Amino acid sequence: MIALIEASSYFQLASLAAMADAGLLPEADERILVLANGSQVPELTTPLDEVPGFEQLAARFDRVVDFAALTAPRRPAQFNPREDELLIFERLLRSAWDLGHEPLTLVLESIQVNPARALARIFFDSQLWIHSDGLMSYGPTRNRLPMPLRQRVIGTIHVDLVPGLQPHLLAELEPRREVLEAGGLAGIFGELAQDAEFDLPSGGALVLGQYLGSLGLMDVEEEFELHLEMLNEVARRELSTVLFKAHPSASATSAARLAAAAKDMGLDFRLVNTDHLAETVISAVNPAVVISCFSTGLATAKYILGTEVHAVGTGRMLQALAPYENSNRIPLSIIHALFVQDLPVPAHASDDDRLTELLIAVAYCMQAAQLPHLREQAECFLTAHYPEFSAHFKRRRITKLDLPPHWAHISSRRSLPSKVRGASRRVLRHGSKQFETLSKSLSRLAK
């Protein structure tokens, strides 16, 4: 038996190394690490086999193959073979990776998208395990998997990023759940930090940038304003130094304006220009606080490395994020609930585990068709707690799903004749000059 273990990011490499150390990876005669660089712009980012500490992380596996190099110049995420090509690619990959005719087990990241989905389709008779993809693993499955994939999913392996919280990923399949305790990953970060050399001061604030603009979640100006809020939080705490680590996939120019703004505020701005993980920087530098929007780094800093954190802009993002089923919603809800609303993690909660109840309701609203068994729990939570947690829900969504509270529902216009609805839209387009004339028409039509 050969296990192919796929990784598309540096964080996944570290997580898989910790899972190997903890004995959580499936048993196999040979474990092959499959590199599938997930960078949006691989030409401008460091290849996975060149990141700091790669050799010591890869030593947990018998050998390494580079899927990204094999498919170049096409990125791994673009690899989507047709049905009639699957057998061809199985032969090609078995030959290129010296797999022979051995049976396979695949340990993949998100199976809903390529290249993980493509690999599962190519190796059609392999057993499937899914490993954690950060905070997103706590969210529901994005799309219903086809039956040939559903039948082969054995289990999931996730990092206990939020102590005690159970993932909803693939919950509809009732998979086996393997959990990597926080201490296992903390050991990996400490191991990487030992060989890291940073010329950075301790005791300042570490700001973790995200590529929200690049993902289309906000425009460039909105992202800049969000980062300014983070600088204001640093100033409010009377810290003189701010370390800024941009997301690996963010624009190379994203920090330039921020540096100028920090200078105007009297802050010592240091750009952390390194390929090291944010968690390695935290382990080595020991900042006083880590600030971000909804980066997974906030959870790892708080619950794995024991560092104070602060979240900025999450309430605004919860309402702006669209569509409602966007897979970033669960990470955003988790960070807002923990670090803005101060909910305890499930492992530290009393009998009233409000965070788990909240995420059940959010997960149901995101994927009601796939998770019908969660409706009753969602109704109970919204009936009792909607006012306190309304930021996590959109009125249009609870109206569509006919969830409580009904007083929050948006009034439906569907009962009006179509001509009335069309006329009201024209009012908005053409402005106030025609309002009086059209309003009279609307009254006549409504009768």
Side-chain angles (χ1 to χ4, degrees):
M1 175 71 73
I2 295 176
L4 297 181
I5 302 164
E6 180 227 359
S8 66
S9 70
Y10 192 0
F11 186 82
Q12 287 181 14
L13 284 175
S15 299
L16 288 168
M19 291 171 185
D21 290 346
L24 297 177
L25 296 178
E27 292 294 328
D29 300 317
E30 184 180 27
R31 288 176 177 166
I32 302 175
L33 180 63
V34 180
L35 304 182
N37 194 338
S39 172
Q40 297 291 325
V41 191
E43 298 83 2
L44 301 179
T45 55
T46 303
L48 290 178
D49 58 356
E50 296 179 18
V51 297
F54 173 79
E55 294 297 333
Q56 62 200 80
L57 296 178
R60 275 82 171 178
F61 306 94
D62 296 299
R63 56 191 175 99
V64 179
V65 295
D66 194 339
F67 185 61
L70 191 65
T71 60
R74 179 170 293 179
R75 299 196 304 272
Q78 297 173 316
F79 182 70
N80 186 27
R82 301 192 306 263
E83 287 297 318
D84 60 350
E85 297 175 331
L86 296 178
L87 181 57
I88 296 172
F89 278 106
E90 183 186 8
R91 290 172 178 169
L92 185 148
L93 293 179
R94 281 187 175 275
S95 174
W97 295 344
D98 194 23
L99 302 178
H101 298 286
E102 288 291 315
L104 301 177
T105 294
L106 304 187
V107 184
L108 306 169
E109 57 170 326
S110 178
I111 196 174
Q112 304 157 82
V113 295
N114 293 317
R117 188 184 181 100
L119 289 171
R121 290 171 57 227
I122 289 169
F123 298 112
F124 64 94
D125 57 353
S126 59
Q127 294 184 342
L128 303 178
W129 283 82
I130 313 303
H131 65 82
S132 171
D133 192 17
L135 292 175
M136 284 189 183
S137 67
Y138 294 111
T141 314
R142 190 184 313 174
N143 303 304
R144 182 180 174 84
L145 295 179
M147 188 57 69
L149 297 185
R150 292 165 63 90
Q151 292 175 325
R152 292 154 51 203
V153 173
I154 304 299
T156 68
I157 315 169
H158 73 278
V159 182
D160 196 28
L161 293 173
V162 181
L165 186 62
Q166 294 300 307
H168 284 289
L169 180 65
L170 299 172
E172 64 275 14
L173 304 182
E174 300 182 354
R176 206 163 98 201
R177 301 289 194 192
E178 299 288 351
V179 185
L180 174 65
E181 301 299 332
L185 198 50
I188 295 292
F189 296 146
E191 181 181 328
L192 294 172
Q194 286 180 356
D195 298 326
E197 295 182 2
F198 300 111
D199 185 18
L200 297 169
S202 299
L206 174 62
V207 172
L208 301 179
Q210 293 179 257
Y211 59 118
L212 305 177
S214 301
L215 285 176
L217 300 181
M218 56 175 56
D219 61 34
V220 174
E221 282 303 314
E222 289 172 330
E223 189 168 30
F224 177 66
E225 291 296 326
L226 181 65
H227 286 148
L228 277 184
E229 288 184 45
M230 297 178 190
L231 293 185
N232 288 329
E233 176 62 23
V234 177
R236 188 188 69 79
R237 291 171 177 262
E238 299 182 348
L239 298 172
S240 58
T241 302
V242 55
L243 311 177
F244 181 74
K245 189 177 191 307
H247 191 279
S249 298
S251 166
T253 60
S254 62
R257 289 176 64 195
L258 200 61
K263 184 177 180 181
D264 292 340
M265 297 170 65
L267 295 173
D268 178 16
F269 185 92
R270 307 286 187 92
L271 180 62
V272 184
N273 188 15
T274 178
D275 290 323
H276 277 286
L277 292 169
E279 290 80 6
T280 304
V281 176
I282 296 169
S283 297
V285 175
N286 295 315
V289 63
V290 176
I291 303 173
S292 189
C293 184
F294 63 100
S295 169
T296 295
L298 291 176
T300 54
K302 176 70 174 181
Y303 301 116
I304 294 181
L305 300 175
T307 303
E308 184 179 352
V309 301
H310 184 83
V312 173
T314 51
R316 190 164 64 250
M317 281 294 298
L318 278 169
Q319 289 302 308
L321 192 64
Y324 191 85
E325 56 269 26
N326 189 305
S327 54
N328 287 291
R329 183 167 300 282
I330 286 290
L332 187 53
S333 278
I334 289 173
I335 296 300
H336 185 77
L338 291 175
F339 305 134
V340 177
Q341 297 182 293
D342 295 321
L343 292 188
V345 296
H348 303 155
S350 58
D351 294 336
D352 188 12
D353 181 5
R354 198 64 54 82
L355 179 64
T356 294
E357 294 173 357
L358 166 66
L359 294 182
I360 285 174
V362 173
Y364 176 76
C365 288
M366 290 175 68
Q367 299 291 346
Q370 292 194 78
L371 302 171
H373 60 286
L374 298 183
R375 181 176 179 90
E376 184 176 350
Q377 295 176 74
E379 287 178 333
C380 291
F381 179 84
L382 288 167
T383 299
H385 305 295
Y386 175 78
E388 183 183 354
F389 296 99
S390 60
H392 298 267
F393 304 93
K394 290 189 177 181
R395 294 173 62 197
R396 186 179 302 278
R397 179 55 58 124
I398 64 173
T399 301
K400 179 180 179 180
L401 296 176
D402 194 26
L403 290 168
H406 287 89
W407 56 260
H409 285 194
I410 296 175
S411 299
S412 174
R413 296 164 62 244
R414 293 185 181 278
S415 59
L416 296 175
S418 61
K419 290 184 179 179
V420 176
R421 298 199 301 269
S424 64
R425 288 193 291 270
R426 288 195 294 274
V427 169
L428 295 175
R429 285 200 301 268
H430 296 300
S432 59
K433 282 188 177 182
Q434 299 180 2
F435 177 80
E436 186 174 348
T437 302
L438 286 171
S439 64
K440 292 179 181 177
S441 300
L442 287 173
S443 298
R444 288 197 299 271
L445 287 169
K447 294 177 181 178

